[in-house]
Amino acid sequence: MRKPIVAIIGRPNVGKSTLFNALAGERISIVKDYPGVTRDRIYADVRWLNTQFTLIDTGGIEPDTKNEMFAHMREQAEIAIETADVIIFLVDVRQGLVDADSKVADMLRRSQKPIVLVVNKVDNFHKQMPDVYEFYNLGIGDPIPISAASKLGFGEMLDEVVKHFKTTVDADEEDDRPRIAIIGRPNVGKSSIINKLLGENRVIVSDIAGTTRDAIDTTVRRNGKEYIFTDTAGLRRKSKIKEDIERYSIVRTVAAVERSDVAVLVIDASVGVTEQDAKIAGIAHERGKGIIIAVNKWDMIEKDNNTVKRYTADIQEVLSFIPYAETVFISAKTGQRLNKLFDIIEKVIQNQNLRIATGVLNQILAEATALQQPPSDKGKQLRLYYITQVAVKPPTFVIFVNDKNLMHFSYQRYIENKIREAFGFAGTSLKFLIRERKENS
């Protein structure tokens, strides 16, 4: 099941980053006491009781500004609003209800997303409640008082946020067509791939990086089966600065990947694999999605006998954390190997849903531990008792051991490699949960 997305929206300096950091449990955003310091939107995964969601922090919205930086931050906030399932609208009890709050409220109302109105900087609930009630005038529901700095009132706020998840996420869950997110840096040919698959210019394509405004869902039919492709460009042409374009694309990518089964990372063959490609791939890897690397514009490359080998080695070096990813060399322009892309998508989806019988898994575990003895520390040796698969998408395994601290990362990787040798699992990450079990129990 995909994680819902929650965006914190509000004017500058109402405490969005302080709230974000308190919920995310670490200082990710830079917080200063003057407006406009949260330049780029950052995301984090948050857990409340038994529910997980992805939280997005935004730059402040100045509804009527001529200032270029504030206008840019407003664009970022608009993208966050589009991608969110639920919006936390944050206001400041000390500043009181100001005209700009009403304008932001109008903008949020038009989005037709569930809105939770949260009044920040309420340090004394008893004394300041009359000031909180003033925000009823916004006409978007009950204001919930909190203090982000002191972490007061979070329970009521999060209960209200979580209440809205069921309705927003269920619609996505009911559609069982495979969802494919096309991700990658600007101008690598993401929209061109979808257009070629459709045989029509459904998505606007231009040679200027960042022409696709929205993450667009497109249905593609192949061999009698329907797939939903999402183009994640989500950029505006007037973002001239390279860094801004990259920041814009991150949250749209997070949202699309969260809703997808498989992520196709598109790399520009004429540029080669970059650190930014690694950042984008990391989003899909963290979320346990199937990953395919599509090297586009392959028609533009002069080739010899070693070209594929060289490119593959570069990819393996920069994207060394996803050795399981499948690679395909394509051209959106000529249509070269786009048919093969569908074959690989099908294979990856099957691997994401593959279940292995417990008996077979334990046989592999026994052989693996016999071939390479588990590590020991200070005279105590790691013992692996039992392994079982508990979930798919991604395939998730629980290993019961005598001491969790003895399970070094390298030995876990060794066990993973043995399972991959037996079953492949190409294109999908594997997740391992290590549990302790007392001996003789």
Side-chain angles (χ1 to χ4, degrees):
M1 180 171 163
R2 79 168 178 86
K3 288 197 283 287
I5 292 166
V6 178
I8 306 173
I9 304 289
R11 292 180 301 102
N13 226 25
V14 294
K16 292 183 299 300
S17 295
T18 310
L19 176 59
F20 177 84
N21 290 330
L23 292 173
E26 52 191 302
R27 288 178 61 84
I28 300 176
S29 295
I30 309 153
V31 183
K32 288 269 169 62
D33 285 337
Y34 52 90
V37 89
T38 313
R39 299 289 167 79
D40 51 338
R41 193 173 49 250
I42 305 167
Y43 67 94
D45 291 330
V46 176
R47 178 185 283 279
W48 175 242
L49 303 177
N50 294 323
T51 308
Q52 280 191 314
F53 60 91
T54 299
L55 186 68
I56 297 174
D57 184 20
T58 66
I61 302 180
E62 286 281 16
D64 300 321
T65 184
K66 299 276 187 290
N67 175 309
E68 195 177 328
M69 187 178 90
F70 280 132
H72 173 69
M73 282 157 62
R74 186 176 63 231
E75 285 183 15
Q76 292 197 66
E78 282 169 3
I79 289 180
I81 291 163
E82 283 167 30
T83 55
D85 295 302
V86 179
I87 292 158
I88 293 175
F89 177 23
L90 199 64
V91 291
D92 182 344
V93 76
R94 291 178 199 164
Q95 293 175 29
L97 179 58
V98 298
D99 189 39
D101 286 327
S102 301
K103 287 181 174 162
V104 174
D106 288 341
M107 181 177 154
L108 294 178
R109 228 183 257 108
R110 284 196 296 276
S111 76
Q112 297 186 316
K113 299 284 175 82
I115 301 162
V116 178
L117 175 60
V118 177
V119 185
N120 192 21
K121 305 184 188 176
V122 182
D123 299 314
N124 185 321
F125 282 24
H126 187 63
K127 279 185 186 164
Q128 290 174 286
M129 281 320 278
D131 300 328
V132 171
Y133 294 146
E134 185 190 0
F135 290 94
Y136 270 109
N137 291 317
L138 288 170
I140 51 173
D142 299 338
I144 297 172
I146 69 156
S147 166
S150 308
K151 299 189 180 180
L152 299 172
F154 281 14
E156 194 184 344
M157 172 185 69
L158 290 169
D159 283 347
E160 192 57 36
V161 167
V162 168
K163 213 184 278 179
H164 293 291
F165 288 166
K166 191 91 183 101
T167 48
T168 55
V169 179
D170 271 6
D172 277 3
E173 296 295 315
E174 282 165 23
D175 190 339
D176 58 0
R177 291 176 294 178
R179 295 187 75 96
I180 318 299
I182 305 285
I183 62 176
R185 292 177 297 107
N187 219 28
V188 292
K190 299 188 292 292
S191 302
S192 304
I193 289 171
I194 293 176
N195 287 340
K196 194 71 179 177
L197 294 174
L198 283 167
E200 57 181 287
N201 273 351
R202 176 83 61 93
V203 187
I204 305 158
V205 179
S206 133
D207 288 336
I208 304 160
T211 33
T212 315
R213 171 63 188 96
D214 294 313
I216 302 163
D217 275 1
T218 307
T219 304
V220 177
R221 182 180 278 275
R222 202 66 159 205
N223 299 331
K225 184 172 180 177
E226 284 190 350
Y227 301 80
I228 300 171
F229 278 82
T230 307
D231 179 4
T232 58
L235 309 172
R236 287 191 173 166
R237 196 180 307 181
K238 64 182 173 194
S239 301
K240 300 178 191 74
I241 310 160
K242 179 172 169 280
E243 270 184 30
D244 282 353
I245 286 179
E246 288 178 2
R247 285 171 187 161
Y248 264 139
S249 60
I250 287 295
V251 162
R252 177 117 311 137
T253 303
V254 170
V257 165
E258 195 60 76
R259 292 181 169 95
S260 72
D261 301 302
V262 176
V264 176
L265 173 66
V266 184
I267 288 171
D268 184 336
S270 61
V271 176
V273 61
T274 68
E275 284 305 315
Q276 184 63 10
D277 292 323
K279 274 185 209 165
I280 294 168
I283 294 169
H285 173 64
E286 277 170 16
R287 283 161 170 68
K289 303 297 179 179
I291 303 180
I292 297 166
I293 300 161
V295 183
N296 190 27
K297 308 185 186 178
W298 195 238
D299 54 307
M300 291 165 60
I301 303 298
E302 279 189 36
K303 300 171 192 69
D304 58 35
N305 291 342
N306 290 316
T307 314
V308 169
K309 209 177 188 177
R310 272 200 309 276
Y311 264 85
T312 305
D314 282 352
I315 288 167
Q316 283 169 348
E317 188 178 336
V318 179
L319 305 180
S320 57
F321 58 94
I322 47 168
Y324 56 82
E326 289 282 270
T327 304
V328 61
F329 295 86
I330 64 169
S331 165
K333 198 171 180 181
T334 66
Q336 181 185 14
R337 289 199 198 85
L338 282 185
N339 276 339
K340 192 174 179 202
L341 181 61
F342 278 97
D343 296 340
I344 296 173
I345 287 169
E346 272 304 311
K347 176 175 156 189
V348 171
I349 288 169
Q350 279 175 6
N351 285 336
Q352 277 246 301
N353 288 286
L354 191 59
R355 283 189 184 273
I356 311 297
T358 301
V360 179
L361 282 171
N362 282 285
Q363 204 176 330
I364 291 167
L365 189 68
E367 285 169 14
T369 51
L371 280 170
Q372 189 172 319
Q373 211 175 25
S376 58
D377 187 32
K378 297 189 181 106
K380 189 174 184 185
Q381 183 154 26
L382 171 69
R383 293 184 61 183
L384 289 80
Y385 298 124
Y386 188 74
I387 182 171
T388 187
Q389 185 174 352
V390 291
V392 294
K393 288 170 74 172
T396 304
F397 304 91
V398 174
I399 302 178
F400 291 94
V401 300
N402 61 334
D403 186 342
K404 251 190 337 197
N405 299 323
L406 293 173
M407 184 60 145
H408 298 167
F409 171 74
S410 56
Y411 200 75
Q412 186 176 309
R413 173 59 58 86
Y414 164 70
I415 298 294
E416 176 177 337
N417 289 340
K418 286 293 175 195
I419 290 171
R420 285 190 185 278
E421 273 174 32
F423 302 103
F425 282 115
T428 181
S429 63
L430 302 182
K431 193 172 166 188
F432 289 87
L433 307 170
I434 310 302
R435 299 269 186 270
E436 271 181 23
R437 201 177 80 182
K438 294 284 171 274
E439 300 200 36
N440 305 322
S441 65

